[in-house]
Amino acid sequence: MSLRHALLGLLVDTEQNGYDLTRRFEQTLSGHAWSAGHSQIYPELKRMTADGLIEVVDEGSRGSKVYGVTPAGRDELRRWMFSPPGEAPARNEFVLRLFLLSSLDLPDLRVLAERMARTSDEQATELAGTIKEIEAATPAGQPHGYARFAAEFGRRWFELQRDWARWVLGELDDRPEAD
Amino acid sequence: MSLRHALLGLLVDTEQNGYDLTRRFEQTLSGHAWSAGHSQIYPELKRMTADGLIEVVDEGSRGSKVYGVTPAGRDELRRWMFSPPGEAPARNEFVLRLFLLSSLDLPDLRVLAERMARTSDEQATELAGTIKEIEAATPAGQPHGYARFAAEFGRRWFELQRDWARWVLGELDDRPEAD
DNA sequence: AAGCCCATGTAACTGGTTACATGATTCT
DNA sequence: AGAATCATGTAACCAGTTACATGGGCTT
């Protein structure tokens, strides 16, 4: 049950309500890591409260519940982080498309690989800009946090996509069929 | 519905039965791309047959059904490959753990990042060996297929994990708290 | 007062996993 | 003959998505 641990991780970082968690999910985790909508998050928060992993630490003006992690929740998150990985199978539609590229004929393959390389390069450039902003907003010598680590990962991921697509194009150009 | 397109892609590559498809899923797609068990695959094959995307092209000795892709199936696969990406949200437990690393205290973070770097390096080395085998089994000058492309992607992916984890460790060593 | 964002929830449905069930062939 | 592998299926359950529903507070 990764949703539970994702919520624990976000709440350890910052105490917040279900609405904020929904947006945080969308903004930071949804791209590469995990995804969940509010209709899944609210019931899970209730269950986690019942299980003693989190608790309501404050109530906002319009009846919102601000959650925080209990000691038991911290223990559970740590236990999960150290547990052997690979339990939940990975699902990534983009990677699936990559793996199925060879089901296309050569002209189609070229067009798609070129498109993938282009969009990945754009995304990498965009994230590089975001990273510069983070760096600028962080006083020199200060340690980076969560956001910087995640952004660095994302940048490298998009570069991988771009470079792999270019490598495929290079392989294709070496083929006898190439004109 | 990515399952459907994954099956189409595998069947375009090789006509095969549900049992083979289940193993292929496990071996080639399960790591980074997509995952499905036989209990999901068999009913989907029936539905795809009803929808005219695939058809039974042969029957094996013990009553197995060998499926092949119809022209309509090929069209559907191509349409999907060219359709705008990002419809299905990505889910990757490993990446989720990466993103939640900063919820740990510094000593824990170091231990985990070191472990991640080590196991990723082992996986990258293993895949590099697999690639050499593929290269050796392919006559010189011959084009590479599906397996070579996917393996190259996997290698780069594990290297990304390793390098990112090492980068995080480097960032941590620069911290004032570092001993 | 109207419209937007904040904030929480439930219901119906679809996709995916685990468990149950069965039988044929091949290998030892 | 017994065990392993091939081969297909269904049922019950859990996770995740889409749609429906409601109301408070803030801005213009």
Side-chain angles (χ1 to χ4, degrees), chain B residues 100-159:
Chain B
L100 299 184
L101 270 182
S102 47
S103 69
L104 298 173
D105 57 29
L106 218 87
D108 277 355
L109 212 171
R110 275 217 180 81
V111 169
L112 255 194
E114 261 155 28
R115 189 204 277 179
M116 282 171 170
R118 202 173 344 106
T119 60
S120 297
D121 188 54
E122 284 163 11
Q123 287 171 305
T125 305
E126 197 188 319
L127 251 186
T130 305
I131 288 172
K132 269 198 180 152
E133 284 172 29
I134 295 175
E135 299 280 359
T138 310
Q142 279 295 106
H144 305 306
Y146 179 82
R148 177 69 183 87
F149 288 174
E152 179 68 23
F153 179 85
R155 189 177 64 79
R156 287 167 186 244
W157 166 244
F158 289 128
E159 284 175 358

Side-chain angles (χ1 to χ4, degrees), chain A residues 8-10 12-14 24 74 77 81 144-150, chain B residues 96-106 108-110 112 116 164 168 172 175:
Chain A
L8 280 175
L10 292 178
V12 162
D13 191 56
T14 313
R24 278 282 213 93
R74 248 166 223 279
L77 178 59
M81 289 289 286
H144 304 307
Y146 180 82
R148 177 67 181 87
F149 288 173
Chain B
L96 177 60
R97 285 176 201 236
L98 290 183
F99 278 34
L100 299 184
L101 270 182
S102 47
S103 69
L104 298 173
D105 57 29
L106 218 87
D108 277 355
L109 212 171
R110 275 217 180 81
L112 255 194
M116 282 171 170
W164 181 89
V168 167
L172 296 182
R175 291 192 178 190

